[in-house]
Structure formats: structure tokens, C-alpha cells
Amino acid sequence: MIMQEASFTNLFKTIMWIIAFYYIFKFLARIFLPVLVKKAVEKAGENFQRQQQYSQDNSWQQTRNNNNDEIIINTANAKKPRETKKVGDYVDYEEID
């Protein structure tokens, strides 16, 4: 097995490689990152539109299947008003000198 000694030139080369890799990565990120983000946003928008279309189609079919004279209101999902519990009376304290 060959053992290598650490030298100033090898340390300098390593530092130069790290700096070069950093700047190359930074340059490539400026080029490709906006494209990747744009594609991700477009895909999220498409998914949102697909979900909206699906929910609208379902609600349209439900209303179309019902009779025109009949109106159904689903109150199962309606929010109930919160009840406020009174724990006690408010007491105003004054500081005595």
C-alpha cells in the first residue's frame, strides 16, 4: 500500500477544485433552477385546475340528476356556532400603594 503525504500543492489543488465546483454549480443553478421552478408551478396549476374541474363536474351532475322542483340542502357539513363557556366573572384589581 502506498501512503501519500499531505503537501501544500495538493491542499491548494483541493481548495481550487472546491472553489471551481462551487462556481460551476452556482452558474448551472442560475440557468436551470428557474426552468425547474417554472415547470413545478405549471404542474401544480394543472393539478389544481383538474381538481376544480372534477369538483364542478360532480356538483353539476348532482344538480342535474335532481328534480327541478326539489331543492336539497345538506346541513350535515354546516358549521355550528361555537358555544362560549363562561368560566367566571371578571374582577378588576387595583394596585394599592
Side-chain angles (χ1 to χ4, degrees):
M1 192 181 328
I2 300 173
M3 186 175 247
Q4 294 182 345
E5 292 182 12
S7 65
F8 181 73
T9 57
N10 287 339
L11 177 66
F12 183 72
K13 285 180 184 179
T14 304
I15 291 173
M16 292 305 290
W17 275 110
I18 291 172
I19 292 171
F21 178 75
Y22 171 75
Y23 280 108
I24 290 171
F25 180 76
K26 189 176 172 181
F27 175 74
L28 293 175
R30 282 189 178 185
I31 293 173
F32 293 114
L33 197 59
V35 174
L36 293 174
V37 170
K38 184 178 178 183
K39 286 191 182 258
V41 169
E42 287 175 355
K43 184 145 179 94
E46 289 173 3
N47 288 340
F48 178 73
Q49 287 178 352
R50 202 173 304 127
Q51 287 176 353
Q52 289 291 82
Q53 187 67 32
Y54 178 74
S55 67
Q56 286 177 358
D57 288 346
N58 274 349
S59 65
W60 175 251
Q61 287 175 357
Q62 287 175 355
T63 57
R64 228 173 92 208
N65 290 340
N66 292 341
N67 292 337
N68 291 339
D69 299 333
E70 185 179 347
I71 297 175
I72 299 174
I73 299 174
N74 186 2
T75 58
N77 294 336
K79 292 184 179 179
K80 296 178 183 175
R82 286 188 165 199
E83 296 178 17
T84 56
K85 295 181 181 178
K86 293 195 176 189
V87 178
D89 294 330
Y90 176 75
V91 179
D92 189 20
Y93 292 100
E94 292 184 16
E95 187 174 323
I96 300 174
D97 292 324

